[in-house]
Amino acid sequence: MARKSLVGVVADELLDRIIAGEFPPGSSVPGELELSAKHEVSRMTVREAMKTLEAQRILSVERGRGTFVNPLNRWASLEAVLRAASEGVNDASAAIQLIELRRMLETGACELAAGRISDAEIGTLHGYVAAMRKAHDSDDLAAFVEADLAFHDVILRASENVFVAVLFEPLHRVLEKRRTQTSKFRDIQEHAIGHHQAIAEALESRDAGRSRSAMDAHMQQTLDDLKTYVLEAKTA
Amino acid sequence: MARKSLVGVVADELLDRIIAGEFPPGSSVPGELELSAKHEVSRMTVREAMKTLEAQRILSVERGRGTFVNPLNRWASLEAVLRAASEGVNDASAAIQLIELRRMLETGACELAAGRISDAEIGTLHGYVAAMRKAHDSDDLAAFVEADLAFHDVILRASENVFVAVLFEPLHRVLEKRRTQTSKFRDIQEHAIGHHQAIAEALESRDAGRSRSAMDAHMQQTLDDLKTYVLEAKTA
DNA sequence: CAAATGTTAGATGTCTGACATCTTACAAAT
DNA sequence: ATTTGTAAGATGTCAGACATCTAACATTTG
């Protein structure tokens, strides 16, 4: 684990204070000098921390006036918004919203991919389904998750839309922890294998509507699994 | 127009050189000292420029080794990817991909909004449609575009999904120039009014599928308009 | 000879202190 | 009452220094 640099620590702590509501949107954060005193670092270190938050559109720096907090809907960092949205009891709501978002992108990408996917990629998809089946039989969780992720990645690339891939990347990173968590259950694995098989066949038929529906069904199942196994378990 | 700070200039120029292929993904960019000499600024200025690119996941800085260019699919900035994707003759392709992406998010948000939108918001939607009609009659382009944007914004909020709003924000910013461009044509305005009317009515019925279809038809029309009026005109 | 260790060059990380420039508020002059 | 001057406080930039990490090479050691 790489130790965080001072800049990273300062940026994190400042973001925490913002999320905690100490500096609401529109208000200004303390000046660079004040922050450098509070965190016991030099002004340059504070400036670099500010620059990272500014690049994520969390802060707006105005020369001569100060540094201000942007409203949450202008933040450009999914991770930061996720941290803000997971405060308090909203964690379950945030998890559901993330899957809703994933559903939009994955079903959309799948619909596009139907008209663009190559025969070789179809073959690769079937290969990953077989890998999932094998991992399921030998009870290899890591291999199962890896094949699952690779399957979706092929479809994403086949959609031939760079921007979808870019927006999906941070989502992927945020969800990958949860993925391993839900894939632990053997019956969920069985459901997933069936859905992936159906998706691969739909894409093979090059039918955009059918491909979309197949992916949509998979996403619906994922949402149901999350509610049933993860969120319910948490309340118990 | 606010003059760009030196940091912004350095960051922009470095990004340009990266996009031009001078530093391909995986390779390292020149050291801070070398860059500060080339751009005739201090090392701190270069560092702050690097920090902004690092925060957008365009660069990865490794202490003691150097600073490296990330593959494009890991970049977290839609704008930067757009700049990279618009190189050469791919501009038309990039424009189409952007609308494909918008289609996914808007249709998805509309589908969610159908089950969550309030009566007051429905009223607001009809109000904006009326405003579009009025702006069309009085030939007020600015008012037309404003009502159009506000209409979509209401739906986005009604979807009650923070993450969709976050991902949509940079897209909104990128597309708003083009929006004014296409809305110039009076027959496009007429098409748009009809579609917005249909979307509002679909949402009023609280039918998720119908709402999705209505928004999807609108997006299809937008795509067609782009191809017909903007892209065709460019080749002429 | 091979493995462990020391050295050094080059890169990023951080600090200190200074000056420049912009914004705002307030006081003074017209 | 309007304009102008002044000063305080904020960010922007600079210069130079030292610390620390990495990688490559040289050296010592078993």
Side-chain angles (χ1 to χ4, degrees), chain B residues 124-146:
Chain B
T124 307
L125 287 183
H126 285 300
Y128 285 132
V129 173
M132 289 173 72
R133 232 184 281 273
K134 183 182 167 193
H136 175 71
D137 291 337
S138 59
D139 214 18
D140 185 342
L141 177 58
F144 185 89
V145 172
E146 188 186 342

Side-chain angles (χ1 to χ4, degrees), chain A residues 5-7 41-45 63-65:
Chain A
S5 63
L6 280 183
V7 172
V41 296
S42 77
R43 195 184 145 215
M44 297 313 301
T45 302
R63 178 172 184 173
R65 298 198 347 111

Side-chain angles (χ1 to χ4, degrees), chain B residues 5-7 40-45 63-65:
Chain B
S5 64
L6 280 184
V7 173
E40 293 182 337
V41 296
S42 76
R43 195 183 147 217
M44 295 313 302
T45 302
R63 178 172 186 176
R65 296 197 349 109

Side-chain angles (χ1 to χ4, degrees), chain B residues 182-204:
Chain B
T182 57
S183 296
K184 280 189 305 203
F185 303 93
R186 289 192 60 81
D187 44 346
I188 288 189
Q189 287 188 8
E190 282 168 20
H191 292 164
I193 291 174
H195 280 292
H196 284 76
Q197 176 75 34
I199 291 168
E201 287 171 2
L203 283 170
E204 194 166 10

Side-chain angles (χ1 to χ4, degrees), chain A residues 88-201:
Chain A
V89 290
N90 296 335
D91 193 54
S93 169
I96 291 175
Q97 286 182 34
L98 280 177
I99 294 195
E100 287 175 353
L101 175 57
R102 186 186 164 204
R103 186 180 201 159
M104 296 179 200
L105 294 176
E106 294 248 32
T107 56
C110 196
E111 188 172 5
L112 289 179
R116 300 171 182 176
I117 196 167
S118 70
D119 290 334
E121 287 169 323
I122 296 282
T124 308
L125 286 183
H126 285 300
Y128 285 132
V129 173
M132 289 173 72
R133 232 184 281 274
K134 183 182 166 193
H136 176 71
D137 292 338
S138 59
D139 213 18
D140 186 342
L141 177 58
F144 185 88
V145 172
E146 187 186 341
D148 185 354
L149 294 177
F151 182 94
H152 288 278
D153 206 50
V154 169
I155 296 177
L156 206 59
R157 291 179 202 281
S159 76
E160 291 175 7
N161 189 309
V162 207
F163 304 109
V164 174
V166 168
L167 260 64
F168 196 80
E169 209 278 339
L171 193 59
H172 190 128
R173 208 168 38 244
V174 164
L175 287 175
E176 89 180 30
K177 275 170 292 186
R178 269 191 245 273
R179 187 83 62 106
T180 306
Q181 203 174 6
T182 57
S183 296
K184 278 190 309 203
F185 303 92
R186 288 193 59 82
D187 45 345
I188 288 189
Q189 287 188 8
E190 282 167 22
H191 292 162
I193 291 174
H195 281 292
H196 284 77
Q197 175 75 33
I199 293 168
E201 287 171 2

